[in-house]
Amino acid sequence: MIRIDKVTRKYGDNVAVRDVSLTIQRGEIVGLLGHNGAGKTTLMKMLTGYLEPTSGTIAVGGADVVANRIEVQRQIGYLPENAPLYPEMLVQEYLLMMAELRGVPADRRPRAVALAAARTGLQQHLLRPIAQLSKGYRQRVGIAQAIVHEPALLVLDEPTNGLDPVQIQSIRDLIERLGKTSTIILSTHILQEVEAVCDRVLIMIDGQLSADAPLQQLLQSRTLRISVREGTDLKATLGGMDGVVAVRREGPDADNDGYVAWSVDLAEQSALGPNLLHTLQQKGLDLASFAPEHRTLEGVFKQLQREHVARQESAA
């Protein structure tokens, strides 16, 4: 569906996106993460044909975005962070106008608007002025205009920004439903959004793609948290084993008096864990706990940032 190959975008001497390559298959819901200034919006603007890459190529549905911009844009629905709404218009008027702008034939526009309204839960609000809608329903109108032409690719930039918890859950449910018929790229700095609806995660740091993996794979840990009786040198016990990368003493176990917490980093995510547990039991060690480290997307993000900073310092 999408192929991005060695794409760089510069603004003068500033490199906003640096040598990014990735592919996205049809039907995926992909989360694009990064702090403000990480390059997310620039990448989306290039993907949608608003900006041209300084170098590299982008193709959507097999068509090059630069050479076939209009053809590509017909395949895309786009909700920017600030949806382009006209408060004085009725919802139905606005969606009919957007259907016309998106090239929907005149005889198909009423049906296209009705379908977009049904998919976004706006059926009862079509004859209301947009100015009278809550912020959550305005976001629904923004999404409806993005899907009124039934695009193959849907790009959503911060779709739940500023919404209350009930509205956020409603938009999440809507995105999951839309993912059954469209490829979706969800750009956000809210990590919980990605954990809630995305199959795959892209993380950008300082214009570079720092991670690209299925969400569950990204959250799998290669670190074991082991608590043993104080006085046990776990580093001496496990330090030389194949597949053990590092053993670190973390300090007293706050949950178990007289025990010490250790971290054991493995070369692979979980294959060695059962063997290590068996080894420790055979040696008769007194264990209070033995479990994989609980990883969150926030933790992964912070780790990638630390590694990025370390690489920069090393290169300086």
Side-chain angles (χ1 to χ4, degrees), residues 214-240:
L215 176 62
Q216 293 306 314
Q217 179 181 321
L218 206 59
L219 295 181
Q220 286 181 345
S221 177
R222 291 183 299 176
T223 298
L224 295 173
R225 299 296 189 187
I226 303 174
S227 178
V228 296
R229 176 69 67 178
E230 190 171 357
T232 303
D233 187 353
L234 205 59
K235 189 170 186 177
T237 304
L238 300 178

PDB file of all heavy atoms in Angstrom, residues 214-240:
ATOM      1  N   PRO A 214       5.670  -4.584  15.180  1.00  0.00           N
ATOM      2  CA  PRO A 214       4.338  -4.826  15.733  1.00  0.00           C
ATOM      3  C   PRO A 214       4.301  -4.428  17.203  1.00  0.00           C
ATOM      4  O   PRO A 214       5.306  -4.596  17.928  1.00  0.00           O
ATOM      5  CB  PRO A 214       4.156  -6.343  15.563  1.00  0.00           C
ATOM      6  CG  PRO A 214       5.081  -6.713  14.451  1.00  0.00           C
ATOM      7  CD  PRO A 214       6.260  -5.797  14.575  1.00  0.00           C
ATOM      8  N   LEU A 215       3.176  -3.905  17.653  1.00  0.00           N
ATOM      9  CA  LEU A 215       3.075  -3.401  19.018  1.00  0.00           C
ATOM     10  C   LEU A 215       3.449  -4.459  20.048  1.00  0.00           C
ATOM     11  O   LEU A 215       4.230  -4.197  20.965  1.00  0.00           O
ATOM     12  CB  LEU A 215       1.654  -2.886  19.276  1.00  0.00           C
ATOM     13  CG  LEU A 215       1.353  -2.410  20.699  1.00  0.00           C
ATOM     14  CD1 LEU A 215       2.230  -1.228  21.064  1.00  0.00           C
ATOM     15  CD2 LEU A 215      -0.120  -2.045  20.842  1.00  0.00           C
ATOM     16  N   GLN A 216       2.898  -5.657  19.911  1.00  0.00           N
ATOM     17  CA  GLN A 216       3.163  -6.697  20.900  1.00  0.00           C
ATOM     18  C   GLN A 216       4.630  -7.087  20.936  1.00  0.00           C
ATOM     19  O   GLN A 216       5.190  -7.358  21.999  1.00  0.00           O
ATOM     20  CB  GLN A 216       2.278  -7.921  20.626  1.00  0.00           C
ATOM     21  CG  GLN A 216       0.800  -7.669  20.844  1.00  0.00           C
ATOM     22  CD  GLN A 216       0.516  -7.100  22.228  1.00  0.00           C
ATOM     23  OE1 GLN A 216       1.027  -7.581  23.244  1.00  0.00           O
ATOM     24  NE2 GLN A 216      -0.285  -6.046  22.268  1.00  0.00           N
ATOM     25  N   GLN A 217       5.267  -7.109  19.779  1.00  0.00           N
ATOM     26  CA  GLN A 217       6.694  -7.429  19.741  1.00  0.00           C
ATOM     27  C   GLN A 217       7.508  -6.344  20.431  1.00  0.00           C
ATOM     28  O   GLN A 217       8.471  -6.630  21.154  1.00  0.00           O
ATOM     29  CB  GLN A 217       7.152  -7.569  18.292  1.00  0.00           C
ATOM     30  CG  GLN A 217       8.642  -7.876  18.136  1.00  0.00           C
ATOM     31  CD  GLN A 217       9.056  -7.994  16.681  1.00  0.00           C
ATOM     32  OE1 GLN A 217       8.321  -8.540  15.854  1.00  0.00           O
ATOM     33  NE2 GLN A 217      10.218  -7.482  16.351  1.00  0.00           N
ATOM     34  N   LEU A 218       7.107  -5.093  20.227  1.00  0.00           N
ATOM     35  CA  LEU A 218       7.822  -3.979  20.832  1.00  0.00           C
ATOM     36  C   LEU A 218       7.721  -4.012  22.351  1.00  0.00           C
ATOM     37  O   LEU A 218       8.632  -3.588  23.056  1.00  0.00           O
ATOM     38  CB  LEU A 218       7.250  -2.667  20.299  1.00  0.00           C
ATOM     39  CG  LEU A 218       8.138  -1.435  20.286  1.00  0.00           C
ATOM     40  CD1 LEU A 218       9.395  -1.663  19.463  1.00  0.00           C
ATOM     41  CD2 LEU A 218       7.365  -0.246  19.750  1.00  0.00           C
ATOM     42  N   LEU A 219       6.586  -4.531  22.856  1.00  0.00           N
ATOM     43  CA  LEU A 219       6.376  -4.555  24.300  1.00  0.00           C
ATOM     44  C   LEU A 219       6.931  -5.796  24.978  1.00  0.00           C
ATOM     45  O   LEU A 219       6.941  -5.872  26.201  1.00  0.00           O
ATOM     46  CB  LEU A 219       4.873  -4.431  24.603  1.00  0.00           C
ATOM     47  CG  LEU A 219       4.215  -3.117  24.199  1.00  0.00           C
ATOM     48  CD1 LEU A 219       2.743  -3.122  24.578  1.00  0.00           C
ATOM     49  CD2 LEU A 219       4.919  -1.920  24.826  1.00  0.00           C
ATOM     50  N   GLN A 220       7.360  -6.775  24.183  1.00  0.00           N
ATOM     51  CA  GLN A 220       7.968  -7.960  24.780  1.00  0.00           C
ATOM     52  C   GLN A 220       9.323  -7.598  25.375  1.00  0.00           C
ATOM     53  O   GLN A 220      10.102  -6.858  24.784  1.00  0.00           O
ATOM     54  CB  GLN A 220       8.133  -9.065  23.736  1.00  0.00           C
ATOM     55  CG  GLN A 220       6.832  -9.741  23.361  1.00  0.00           C
ATOM     56  CD  GLN A 220       7.037 -10.838  22.340  1.00  0.00           C
ATOM     57  OE1 GLN A 220       8.088 -10.929  21.712  1.00  0.00           O
ATOM     58  NE2 GLN A 220       6.026 -11.661  22.161  1.00  0.00           N
ATOM     59  N   SER A 221       9.602  -8.128  26.540  1.00  0.00           N
ATOM     60  CA  SER A 221      10.814  -7.750  27.251  1.00  0.00           C
ATOM     61  C   SER A 221      11.907  -8.797  27.104  1.00  0.00           C
ATOM     62  O   SER A 221      11.636  -9.998  27.060  1.00  0.00           O
ATOM     63  CB  SER A 221      10.509  -7.561  28.737  1.00  0.00           C
ATOM     64  OG  SER A 221      11.694  -7.271  29.450  1.00  0.00           O
ATOM     65  N   ARG A 222      13.144  -8.312  27.039  1.00  0.00           N
ATOM     66  CA  ARG A 222      14.309  -9.201  27.072  1.00  0.00           C
ATOM     67  C   ARG A 222      14.988  -9.149  28.439  1.00  0.00           C
ATOM     68  O   ARG A 222      16.113  -9.607  28.589  1.00  0.00           O
ATOM     69  CB  ARG A 222      15.308  -8.808  25.985  1.00  0.00           C
ATOM     70  CG  ARG A 222      14.818  -9.073  24.584  1.00  0.00           C
ATOM     71  CD  ARG A 222      15.864  -8.744  23.552  1.00  0.00           C
ATOM     72  NE  ARG A 222      16.242  -7.335  23.596  1.00  0.00           N
ATOM     73  CZ  ARG A 222      17.202  -6.802  22.846  1.00  0.00           C
ATOM     74  NH1 ARG A 222      17.881  -7.555  22.016  1.00  0.00           N
ATOM     75  NH2 ARG A 222      17.481  -5.518  22.941  1.00  0.00           N
ATOM     76  N   THR A 223      14.269  -8.584  29.411  1.00  0.00           N
ATOM     77  CA  THR A 223      14.834  -8.462  30.751  1.00  0.00           C
ATOM     78  C   THR A 223      13.977  -9.218  31.751  1.00  0.00           C
ATOM     79  O   THR A 223      12.751  -9.095  31.747  1.00  0.00           O
ATOM     80  CB  THR A 223      14.917  -6.979  31.174  1.00  0.00           C
ATOM     81  OG1 THR A 223      15.779  -6.289  30.274  1.00  0.00           O
ATOM     82  CG2 THR A 223      15.463  -6.849  32.593  1.00  0.00           C
ATOM     83  N   LEU A 224      14.623 -10.008  32.603  1.00  0.00           N
ATOM     84  CA  LEU A 224      13.954 -10.710  33.686  1.00  0.00           C
ATOM     85  C   LEU A 224      14.199  -9.964  34.996  1.00  0.00           C
ATOM     86  O   LEU A 224      15.292  -9.441  35.228  1.00  0.00           O
ATOM     87  CB  LEU A 224      14.494 -12.131  33.826  1.00  0.00           C
ATOM     88  CG  LEU A 224      14.252 -13.088  32.658  1.00  0.00           C
ATOM     89  CD1 LEU A 224      15.012 -14.382  32.896  1.00  0.00           C
ATOM     90  CD2 LEU A 224      12.766 -13.365  32.477  1.00  0.00           C
ATOM     91  N   ARG A 225      13.172  -9.892  35.813  1.00  0.00           N
ATOM     92  CA  ARG A 225      13.308  -9.340  37.166  1.00  0.00           C
ATOM     93  C   ARG A 225      13.284 -10.510  38.146  1.00  0.00           C
ATOM     94  O   ARG A 225      12.296 -11.240  38.241  1.00  0.00           O
ATOM     95  CB  ARG A 225      12.158  -8.385  37.476  1.00  0.00           C
ATOM     96  CG  ARG A 225      12.075  -7.190  36.545  1.00  0.00           C
ATOM     97  CD  ARG A 225      13.281  -6.280  36.655  1.00  0.00           C
ATOM     98  NE  ARG A 225      13.088  -5.039  35.903  1.00  0.00           N
ATOM     99  CZ  ARG A 225      14.029  -4.138  35.715  1.00  0.00           C
ATOM    100  NH1 ARG A 225      15.244  -4.348  36.223  1.00  0.00           N
ATOM    101  NH2 ARG A 225      13.795  -3.044  35.029  1.00  0.00           N
ATOM    102  N   ILE A 226      14.391 -10.688  38.870  1.00  0.00           N
ATOM    103  CA  ILE A 226      14.544 -11.836  39.765  1.00  0.00           C
ATOM    104  C   ILE A 226      14.873 -11.330  41.166  1.00  0.00           C
ATOM    105  O   ILE A 226      15.757 -10.484  41.345  1.00  0.00           O
ATOM    106  CB  ILE A 226      15.667 -12.778  39.279  1.00  0.00           C
ATOM    107  CG1 ILE A 226      15.377 -13.235  37.835  1.00  0.00           C
ATOM    108  CG2 ILE A 226      15.806 -13.979  40.205  1.00  0.00           C
ATOM    109  CD1 ILE A 226      16.502 -14.047  37.222  1.00  0.00           C
ATOM    110  N   SER A 227      14.154 -11.846  42.144  1.00  0.00           N
ATOM    111  CA  SER A 227      14.412 -11.482  43.530  1.00  0.00           C
ATOM    112  C   SER A 227      14.902 -12.717  44.283  1.00  0.00           C
ATOM    113  O   SER A 227      14.228 -13.749  44.311  1.00  0.00           O
ATOM    114  CB  SER A 227      13.128 -10.942  44.178  1.00  0.00           C
ATOM    115  OG  SER A 227      13.354 -10.617  45.536  1.00  0.00           O
ATOM    116  N   VAL A 228      16.109 -12.614  44.867  1.00  0.00           N
ATOM    117  CA  VAL A 228      16.711 -13.747  45.588  1.00  0.00           C
ATOM    118  C   VAL A 228      17.121 -13.313  46.990  1.00  0.00           C
ATOM    119  O   VAL A 228      17.244 -12.116  47.277  1.00  0.00           O
ATOM    120  CB  VAL A 228      17.947 -14.299  44.838  1.00  0.00           C
ATOM    121  CG1 VAL A 228      17.546 -14.871  43.492  1.00  0.00           C
ATOM    122  CG2 VAL A 228      19.009 -13.227  44.661  1.00  0.00           C
ATOM    123  N   ARG A 229      17.321 -14.314  47.839  1.00  0.00           N
ATOM    124  CA  ARG A 229      17.691 -14.049  49.228  1.00  0.00           C
ATOM    125  C   ARG A 229      18.968 -13.214  49.281  1.00  0.00           C
ATOM    126  O   ARG A 229      19.897 -13.399  48.503  1.00  0.00           O
ATOM    127  CB  ARG A 229      17.908 -15.366  49.974  1.00  0.00           C
ATOM    128  CG  ARG A 229      18.394 -15.239  51.403  1.00  0.00           C
ATOM    129  CD  ARG A 229      17.351 -14.658  52.328  1.00  0.00           C
ATOM    130  NE  ARG A 229      16.216 -15.566  52.499  1.00  0.00           N
ATOM    131  CZ  ARG A 229      15.174 -15.296  53.295  1.00  0.00           C
ATOM    132  NH1 ARG A 229      15.120 -14.141  53.957  1.00  0.00           N
ATOM    133  NH2 ARG A 229      14.183 -16.157  53.408  1.00  0.00           N
ATOM    134  N   GLU A 230      18.989 -12.205  50.155  1.00  0.00           N
ATOM    135  CA  GLU A 230      20.167 -11.349  50.320  1.00  0.00           C
ATOM    136  C   GLU A 230      21.406 -12.198  50.609  1.00  0.00           C
ATOM    137  O   GLU A 230      21.357 -13.181  51.335  1.00  0.00           O
ATOM    138  CB  GLU A 230      19.915 -10.368  51.479  1.00  0.00           C
ATOM    139  CG  GLU A 230      20.948  -9.273  51.586  1.00  0.00           C
ATOM    140  CD  GLU A 230      20.545  -8.212  52.599  1.00  0.00           C
ATOM    141  OE1 GLU A 230      19.441  -8.317  53.165  1.00  0.00           O
ATOM    142  OE2 GLU A 230      21.329  -7.283  52.797  1.00  0.00           O
ATOM    143  N   GLY A 231      22.519 -11.804  49.983  1.00  0.00           N
ATOM    144  CA  GLY A 231      23.767 -12.553  50.123  1.00  0.00           C
ATOM    145  C   GLY A 231      24.054 -13.442  48.930  1.00  0.00           C
ATOM    146  O   GLY A 231      25.161 -13.972  48.799  1.00  0.00           O
ATOM    147  N   THR A 232      23.092 -13.621  48.034  1.00  0.00           N
ATOM    148  CA  THR A 232      23.275 -14.417  46.818  1.00  0.00           C
ATOM    149  C   THR A 232      23.857 -13.537  45.719  1.00  0.00           C
ATOM    150  O   THR A 232      23.329 -12.458  45.431  1.00  0.00           O
ATOM    151  CB  THR A 232      21.937 -15.002  46.331  1.00  0.00           C
ATOM    152  OG1 THR A 232      21.364 -15.769  47.379  1.00  0.00           O
ATOM    153  CG2 THR A 232      22.157 -15.873  45.112  1.00  0.00           C
ATOM    154  N   ASP A 233      24.966 -13.981  45.104  1.00  0.00           N
ATOM    155  CA  ASP A 233      25.571 -13.239  43.998  1.00  0.00           C
ATOM    156  C   ASP A 233      25.047 -13.811  42.688  1.00  0.00           C
ATOM    157  O   ASP A 233      25.587 -14.771  42.147  1.00  0.00           O
ATOM    158  CB  ASP A 233      27.095 -13.342  44.060  1.00  0.00           C
ATOM    159  CG  ASP A 233      27.778 -12.455  43.022  1.00  0.00           C
ATOM    160  OD1 ASP A 233      27.054 -11.872  42.172  1.00  0.00           O
ATOM    161  OD2 ASP A 233      29.015 -12.358  43.033  1.00  0.00           O
ATOM    162  N   LEU A 234      23.962 -13.227  42.196  1.00  0.00           N
ATOM    163  CA  LEU A 234      23.343 -13.754  40.984  1.00  0.00           C
ATOM    164  C   LEU A 234      24.232 -13.539  39.758  1.00  0.00           C
ATOM    165  O   LEU A 234      24.177 -14.320  38.801  1.00  0.00           O
ATOM    166  CB  LEU A 234      21.985 -13.080  40.768  1.00  0.00           C
ATOM    167  CG  LEU A 234      20.961 -13.880  39.952  1.00  0.00           C
ATOM    168  CD1 LEU A 234      20.673 -15.212  40.613  1.00  0.00           C
ATOM    169  CD2 LEU A 234      19.673 -13.082  39.799  1.00  0.00           C
ATOM    170  N   LYS A 235      25.076 -12.513  39.804  1.00  0.00           N
ATOM    171  CA  LYS A 235      25.970 -12.264  38.680  1.00  0.00           C
ATOM    172  C   LYS A 235      26.977 -13.393  38.538  1.00  0.00           C
ATOM    173  O   LYS A 235      27.283 -13.843  37.422  1.00  0.00           O
ATOM    174  CB  LYS A 235      26.695 -10.935  38.863  1.00  0.00           C
ATOM    175  CG  LYS A 235      27.492 -10.484  37.648  1.00  0.00           C
ATOM    176  CD  LYS A 235      27.977  -9.051  37.809  1.00  0.00           C
ATOM    177  CE  LYS A 235      28.653  -8.566  36.535  1.00  0.00           C
ATOM    178  NZ  LYS A 235      29.075  -7.147  36.637  1.00  0.00           N
ATOM    179  N   ALA A 236      27.473 -13.874  39.638  1.00  0.00           N
ATOM    180  CA  ALA A 236      28.419 -14.994  39.595  1.00  0.00           C
ATOM    181  C   ALA A 236      27.730 -16.270  39.132  1.00  0.00           C
ATOM    182  O   ALA A 236      28.339 -17.123  38.476  1.00  0.00           O
ATOM    183  CB  ALA A 236      29.035 -15.201  40.981  1.00  0.00           C
ATOM    184  N   THR A 237      26.443 -16.422  39.451  1.00  0.00           N
ATOM    185  CA  THR A 237      25.702 -17.626  39.088  1.00  0.00           C
ATOM    186  C   THR A 237      25.334 -17.658  37.605  1.00  0.00           C
ATOM    187  O   THR A 237      25.431 -18.691  36.954  1.00  0.00           O
ATOM    188  CB  THR A 237      24.415 -17.721  39.921  1.00  0.00           C
ATOM    189  OG1 THR A 237      24.744 -17.670  41.312  1.00  0.00           O
ATOM    190  CG2 THR A 237      23.671 -19.009  39.630  1.00  0.00           C
ATOM    191  N   LEU A 238      24.924 -16.510  37.053  1.00  0.00           N
ATOM    192  CA  LEU A 238      24.383 -16.483  35.690  1.00  0.00           C
ATOM    193  C   LEU A 238      25.259 -15.752  34.678  1.00  0.00           C
ATOM    194  O   LEU A 238      25.027 -15.858  33.472  1.00  0.00           O
ATOM    195  CB  LEU A 238      23.002 -15.803  35.693  1.00  0.00           C
ATOM    196  CG  LEU A 238      21.923 -16.447  36.559  1.00  0.00           C
ATOM    197  CD1 LEU A 238      20.645 -15.619  36.482  1.00  0.00           C
ATOM    198  CD2 LEU A 238      21.662 -17.883  36.119  1.00  0.00           C
ATOM    199  N   GLY A 239      26.244 -15.029  35.156  1.00  0.00           N
ATOM    200  CA  GLY A 239      27.010 -14.151  34.274  1.00  0.00           C
ATOM    201  C   GLY A 239      27.680 -14.818  33.091  1.00  0.00           C
ATOM    202  O   GLY A 239      27.841 -14.205  32.042  1.00  0.00           O
ATOM    203  N   GLY A 240      28.046 -16.067  33.213  1.00  0.00           N
ATOM    204  CA  GLY A 240      28.759 -16.721  32.114  1.00  0.00           C
ATOM    205  C   GLY A 240      27.888 -17.563  31.209  1.00  0.00           C
ATOM    206  O   GLY A 240      28.390 -18.211  30.285  1.00  0.00           O
TER     207      GLY A 240
END
